Amino acid sequence: MAGGSDAVENTGLSCVRCGKPAHLQCPKCVQLKLPREDAAFCSQDCFKASWSSHKSVHSGTKPSSPAPENSSERNLGPPNDGWLYCLRKGQSRTPKVPHFDWTGPLRPYPISQKRFVPNHIDQPDWAIDGIPKIEPNSDLQHVVEIKTPEQIKRMRETCRIAREVLDAAARIVRPGITTDEIDAVVHEATISAGGYPSPLNYHFFPKSCCTSVNEIICHGIPDARILEDGDIVNVDVTVYYKGVHADLNETYFVGNVDEASKRLVQCTYECLDKAIAAVKPGVRFREMGEIISRHASMSGFSVVKSYCGHGIGELFHCAPNIPHYAKNKAVGVMKAGQTFTIEPMINSGVWRDRTWPDGWTSVTADGKRSAQFEHTLLVTDTGVEVLSARLPSSPKVFPWASP
Amino acid sequence: MEPYDDEEPPLAIAIDDVVEDKTTPPSLVEQRDNLRPDLPEAQPVGVTVITGYLGAGKSTLVSSILNGQHGKKIAVILNEFGEEIGVERAMINEGEGGALVEEWVELANGCICCTVKHSLVQALEQLIERKERLDHILLETTGLANPAPLASVLWLDDQLESDVRLDSIITVVDAKNLRYQLESNHDSSSFPEAYNQIAFADVVILNKVDLVSSDDSGVALKDLEKDIHNINSLATIIRSVRCQVDLSIILDRRAYDVTHATHLEALLKENRNLSTSDLHDSGVRTLCISEPKEVHLEKARVWIEELLWDKKYGMDVYRCKGILNIGNSDQLHTLQAVREVYEIVPTRKWRNDEDRVNKIVFIGRSLNEEILVNTIKATLCNP
């Protein structure tokens, strides 16, 4: 965010025309209650110079301005070489940045073309037309499955692959690369291992993993935005292999991040750790929310309530639902042989979320940062086995974690 | 709108002049106020589920609510298409003459399983957000629907601070045909609809009472009401002709609101035995048990969970409502359950003049009073 002048309070808005800090706005836009970001100007001169193109916003015909000239986006070449903005959950694309009352500094960037999956890879039913058919109609949405030893064996193997794919992504995270490049690595690593990247085309999701930067809570879509020094980014990987899914995610530091972000990420890591430590037969699913919520609020953070942990196995998402907030009415107790994820999303500010026009990206309602960690777990007779656990070969990206 | 020359821009105004302060972003509660400025603190909108056989009079009820002169703005979601199509049709009585406006509510297709809120809830929230003011929502179900899944979906955790809250389930029954429907379903395990719809109801509208002969001085109707109460003795029965009912009785019942006084007081004062006779072994009926001594909260939880989640002792509990006398607490606790979803929450302080007691009403099938009375003793603080 540009630092404001000392004399006048920083509004946080940039001039639509030149990018300098803005302290003036178009009165017509105020009257029409149009988004402030498109109506901000540093001076009457810039306003006057932009007027002929700006005024079409009032009649709703102009798309909002694209990223300013010193763009933090890859030079895509005209006309973007097929890179477009995502809409309607991935069912359509547009060359224009959609309108939205953005909650923080982040904006969507164009996304690349759909990646190819070779025919020999075993694919879930949504790979073809974007619509899962088996999953929503399965009994496993109501009953928590006890996995057979054979299924557990497959899950261990798939979780191992998913862990290695995530580690491959972690290794390339640094300032200067795009989230699209992370997606390319995830996609290639998954295919090379013989797996299918489960998110790809799941309810039309356009990419092979979710990359959630800064104020994005989850389901961020990999795009042309370049990661900046100081960002935090979550990479969420799910692999489908030998008929079962494995789901895990981690939040990484991009270059040097501020203390507040470090605290947020570490607290989130600990929330998951503490929840996992309590997993064993007989424990209620609703207890996870109590543990996570208690630890988060001790550090002054809030817990996202819209998304929850879920059963996993031959289905990507199934029973049980595991909310991460306290005082929830989740049904059931843990039993040996169950496999599910716990994936707390913890926010610096408020817990509320909003969804971008792409239909997927969930952001904090106040634009402040959010972090997440996730594991796929197996309940054993005496406790828990973290199927997606870090390996000795996993990159050492968390200063507090034991090697 | 002042006519200015569109060629020349107006004078830009300073940003500090505007009310909305982006530097301290509003929480979503405040944003909600911006959308519904007439309410000081927007209350969640009540949702009433209306169920009942085809022809019982559901549509008439809905129609009379939409067209009535009550000054309330009500949206009716007609559950015609089900989720396959992904949209629901809604009729709202907007505007000054109470003109009916048709709206489409789009159900979000999507990651249904890692989102906490069902797509129907999200769609209702979006509808509320779009409208400047909405006083109530009616959800009309198809004729044979079991309302239980809908109730579980709509009975949200308080923590979610949703704009939507489940207000009650209303079943419309046809007085003329009810006896037949109950008897043809009396092996209620194979065709349970009539029993389910009554068992889960908070209000039963006994409609078409004019069609039941009046020459037996109302005995037939009284028998029907007895039959209904045999299944669910907690339900309020309202007699009606052509579904003309007083709106104030149907709306804002707060049947799932733990703090709502009326239900608690009624339960506490209820002296007559709410337990009903077992018409058939597999019949749906109501059972009420009472236990004066204090129970241990954690043991009470386990007891309820074994009944609801494990179907222990072979009992199939549909609904459960009760007051608990929890040890080491000065708070009266309330128990509420729909199928497997339940909660026990502290509600208010016991009053000095009150007899502290546990009183629990079960509605379900294959209920066994003896087992319930004996097993609750295992939860006592001092057995």
Side-chain angles (χ1 to χ4, degrees):
Chain A
M1 292 284 270
S5 73
D6 296 323
V8 188
E9 201 182 306
N10 186 9
T11 61
L13 291 166
S14 307
C15 176
V16 162
R17 184 166 171 269
C18 72
K20 291 210 206 103
H23 299 288
L24 296 175
Q25 56 189 333
C26 166
K28 194 90 185 112
C29 284
V30 172
Q31 187 193 359
L32 294 174
K33 294 191 180 18
L34 294 173
R36 294 193 338 149
E37 287 76 13
D38 302 327
F41 297 92
C42 67
S43 60
Q44 185 68 23
D45 285 338
C46 262
F47 184 37
K48 191 163 176 172
S50 307
W51 179 246
S52 52
S53 59
H54 169 81
K55 66 184 178 185
S56 47
V57 182
H58 306 150
S59 49
T61 53
K62 182 200 171 196
S64 69
S65 42
E69 282 158 14
N70 50 337
S71 172
S72 50
E73 157 184 343
R74 283 267 183 267
N75 182 6
L76 301 172
N80 284 355
D81 281 336
W83 289 53
L84 302 164
Y85 298 92
C86 174
L87 282 183
R88 289 179 63 228
K89 301 214 78 156
Q91 293 169 93
S92 53
R93 304 277 188 277
T94 175
K96 312 166 186 173
V97 177
H99 261 297
F100 192 65
D101 189 12
W102 310 103
T103 63
L106 216 60
R107 298 291 179 273
Y109 284 72
I111 67 177
S112 62
Q113 306 274 46
K114 188 171 181 196
R115 299 199 201 280
F116 171 71
V117 177
N119 284 332
H120 69 267
I121 305 258
D122 192 24
Q123 309 189 7
D125 64 4
W126 59 81
I128 310 164
D129 64 355
I131 303 172
K133 292 164 203 53
I134 300 176
E135 187 174 276
N137 297 311
S138 167
D139 278 341
L140 296 180
Q141 298 304 343
H142 313 293
V143 174
V144 184
E145 188 181 28
I146 307 289
K147 303 285 190 293
T148 63
E150 191 274 331
Q151 285 172 312
I152 293 173
K153 183 159 168 282
R154 281 189 281 144
M155 288 211 64
R156 282 204 185 99
E157 206 179 337
T158 304
C159 280
R160 165 87 188 211
I161 292 174
R163 161 52 61 183
E164 286 171 345
V165 169
L166 183 63
D167 285 349
R171 287 191 189 92
I172 66 154
V173 168
R174 67 181 187 280
I177 64 146
T178 64
T179 48
D180 184 79
E181 288 169 88
I182 296 177
D183 182 70
V185 166
V186 167
H187 186 86
E188 286 313 308
T190 307
I191 303 295
S192 306
Y196 179 90
S198 310
L200 185 59
N201 218 17
Y202 181 71
H203 294 284
F204 309 104
F205 187 80
K207 291 287 151 201
S208 305
C209 66
C210 298
T211 49
S212 305
V213 178
N214 298 340
E215 68 258 36
I216 299 180
I217 291 167
C218 63
H219 299 166
I221 303 176
D223 61 21
R225 180 181 177 277
I226 301 174
L227 289 175
E228 294 167 15
D229 189 65
D231 283 347
I232 58 173
V233 60
N234 176 288
V235 181
D236 191 340
V237 162
T238 306
V239 169
Y240 180 68
Y241 178 73
K242 290 201 173 157
V244 294
H245 299 267
D247 189 357
L248 75 163
N249 73 54
E250 289 177 342
T251 304
Y252 305 112
F253 300 127
V254 181
N256 301 302
V257 309
D258 57 32
E259 280 309 306
S261 298
K262 284 185 191 161
R263 284 195 311 113
L264 173 66
V265 174
Q266 182 171 356
C267 179
T268 309
Y269 184 100
E270 290 163 354
C271 281
L272 178 57
D273 232 21
K274 287 178 191 290
I276 292 176
V279 171
K280 64 176 195 251
V283 172
R284 295 180 183 99
F285 291 117
R286 67 172 67 169
E287 182 64 18
M288 300 294 102
E290 303 292 329
I291 296 169
I292 290 164
S293 165
R294 201 174 303 139
H295 189 67
S297 47
M298 274 199 333
S299 301
F301 299 131
S302 61
V303 179
V304 171
K305 300 183 186 179
S306 298
Y307 301 94
C308 52
H310 54 89
I312 187 171
E314 280 163 15
L315 299 181
F316 190 172
H317 300 98
C318 54
N321 257 24
I322 305 180
H324 306 298
Y325 53 89
K327 297 203 184 87
N328 68 75
K329 297 197 286 285
V331 172
V333 300
M334 298 174 190
K335 300 190 170 91
Q338 293 173 337
T339 52
F340 50 81
T341 72
I342 302 177
E343 43 186 286
M345 290 144 277
I346 307 295
N347 296 347
S348 296
V350 302
W351 59 266
R352 297 247 187 204
D353 63 278
R354 300 205 47 211
T355 304
W356 276 3
D358 57 39
W360 278 107
T361 309
S362 177
V363 289
T364 58
D366 61 1
K368 297 191 179 162
R369 290 186 172 189
S370 176
Q372 182 183 24
F373 283 89
E374 175 184 20
H375 274 304
T376 294
L377 309 165
L378 165 70
V379 183
T380 63
D381 288 322
T382 51
V384 65
E385 186 181 327
V386 182
L387 298 176
S388 51
R390 292 165 58 74
L391 302 165
S393 53
S394 298
K396 316 264 179 284
V397 285
F398 305 118
W400 57 81
S402 47
Chain B
M1 219 170 85
E2 73 279 352
Y4 59 84
D5 185 358
D6 209 30
E7 294 305 308
E8 280 296 307
L11 210 61
I13 58 180
I15 286 179
D16 335 50
D17 285 356
V18 179
V19 174
E20 191 187 293
D21 180 16
K22 258 286 168 69
T23 53
T24 48
S27 71
L28 208 65
V29 173
E30 288 162 4
Q31 286 176 21
R32 217 195 303 146
D33 286 346
N34 290 340
L35 294 167
R36 297 167 68 197
D38 49 316
L39 298 168
E41 206 184 74
Q43 292 289 314
V45 176
V47 178
T48 301
V49 176
I50 301 186
T51 181
Y53 267 67
L54 284 172
K58 277 189 323 225
S59 311
T60 319
L61 173 66
V62 163
S63 184
S64 73
I65 293 175
L66 274 181
N67 292 307
Q69 302 301 318
H70 42 65
K72 288 187 190 284
K73 189 157 146 192
I74 300 186
V76 178
I77 317 287
L78 308 160
N79 211 307
E80 301 169 320
F81 303 117
E83 280 179 38
E84 281 102 35
I85 302 207
V87 285
E88 299 290 342
R89 187 157 67 105
M91 301 297 289
I92 307 181
N93 60 335
E94 305 202 53
E96 284 313 305
L100 288 182
V101 168
E102 189 183 80
E103 280 239 9
W104 292 94
V105 176
E106 194 180 329
L107 295 173
N109 283 319
C111 236
I112 39 173
C113 309
C114 66
T115 50
V116 171
K117 287 178 195 164
H118 193 270
S119 60
L120 176 62
V121 173
Q122 290 178 44
L124 294 179
E125 286 178 334
Q126 279 166 32
L127 180 65
I128 294 170
E129 207 184 321
R130 286 207 305 264
K131 299 279 126 193
E132 242 182 64
R133 181 192 122 225
L134 207 51
D135 294 313
H136 210 87
I137 296 178
L138 305 178
L139 203 55
E140 189 192 335
T141 67
T142 61
L144 298 183
N146 178 351
L150 212 44
S152 317
V153 157
L154 292 169
W155 188 25
L156 300 167
D157 293 326
D158 285 340
Q159 285 278 319
L160 294 170
E161 293 179 29
S162 174
D163 284 335
V164 157
R165 80 180 159 75
L166 175 58
D167 191 59
S168 72
I169 300 178
I170 296 183
T171 295
V172 182
V173 299
D174 179 346
K176 187 115 171 65
N177 289 314
L178 180 62
R179 166 91 353 101
Y180 172 74
Q181 284 161 356
L182 288 179
E183 276 165 18
S184 67
N185 287 333
H186 84 74
D187 177 11
S188 58
S189 44
S190 38
F191 289 103
E193 292 89 15
Y195 285 84
N196 281 341
Q197 291 181 2
I198 292 173
F200 286 101
D202 300 291
V203 175
V204 174
I205 296 182
L206 186 56
N207 196 31
K208 304 191 190 176
V209 291
D210 51 320
L211 297 183
V212 174
S213 67
S214 51
D215 33 90
D216 53 359
S217 56
V219 168
L221 280 179
K222 287 214 186 69
D223 279 343
L224 280 178
E225 286 175 346
K226 195 151 155 292
D227 283 344
I228 293 171
H229 270 144
N230 266 345
I231 299 167
N232 177 352
S233 60
L234 284 178
T236 302
I237 303 179
I238 303 175
R239 295 186 187 185
S240 72
V241 175
R242 277 188 297 282
C243 265
Q244 301 292 332
V245 288
D246 183 354
L247 211 61
S248 59
I249 303 181
I250 320 188
L251 299 188
D252 231 24
R253 289 199 65 87
R254 303 193 178 252
Y256 291 81
D257 183 348
V258 114
T259 57
H260 199 58
T262 325
H263 306 296
L264 279 183
E265 306 309 329
L267 205 56
L268 274 172
K269 289 200 178 71
E270 192 59 64
N271 284 324
R272 72 177 166 93
N273 190 359
L274 286 169
S275 295
T276 58
S277 58
D278 196 358
L279 294 172
H280 314 275
D281 278 334
S282 58
V284 178
R285 65 171 181 125
T286 303
L287 219 148
C288 179
I289 65 168
S290 190
E291 165 57 64
K293 294 194 193 166
E294 287 176 338
V295 297
H296 193 272
L297 179 58
E298 177 57 28
K299 288 182 183 167
R301 285 192 182 281
V302 172
W303 177 68
I304 277 291
E305 287 163 7
E306 284 176 344
L307 288 167
L308 299 178
W309 296 352
D310 302 333
K311 306 268 187 298
K312 209 171 180 184
Y313 319 115
M315 294 189 230
D316 202 358
V317 177
Y318 289 7
R319 280 277 269 147
C320 186
K321 255 182 161 170
I323 290 164
L324 296 177
N325 176 15
I326 302 291
N328 295 322
S329 174
D330 57 357
Q331 296 272 330
L332 175 161
H333 285 59
T334 318
L335 160 66
Q336 170 108 250
V338 178
R339 283 311 217 157
E340 297 152 328
V341 184
Y342 88 94
E343 63 175 6
I344 296 176
V345 280
T347 308
R348 63 159 171 81
K349 267 193 156 151
W350 286 104
R351 289 196 280 267
N352 291 334
D353 59 331
E354 273 179 320
D355 278 331
R356 300 195 184 191
V357 68
N358 298 286
K359 247 190 196 157
I360 310 173
V361 177
F362 292 88
I363 299 169
R365 198 181 314 133
S366 308
L367 300 179
N368 186 315
E369 184 159 5
E370 201 182 323
I371 291 183
L372 289 171
V373 164
N374 287 337
T375 52
I376 196 176
K377 296 215 187 296
T379 69
L380 295 178
C381 291
N382 305 304

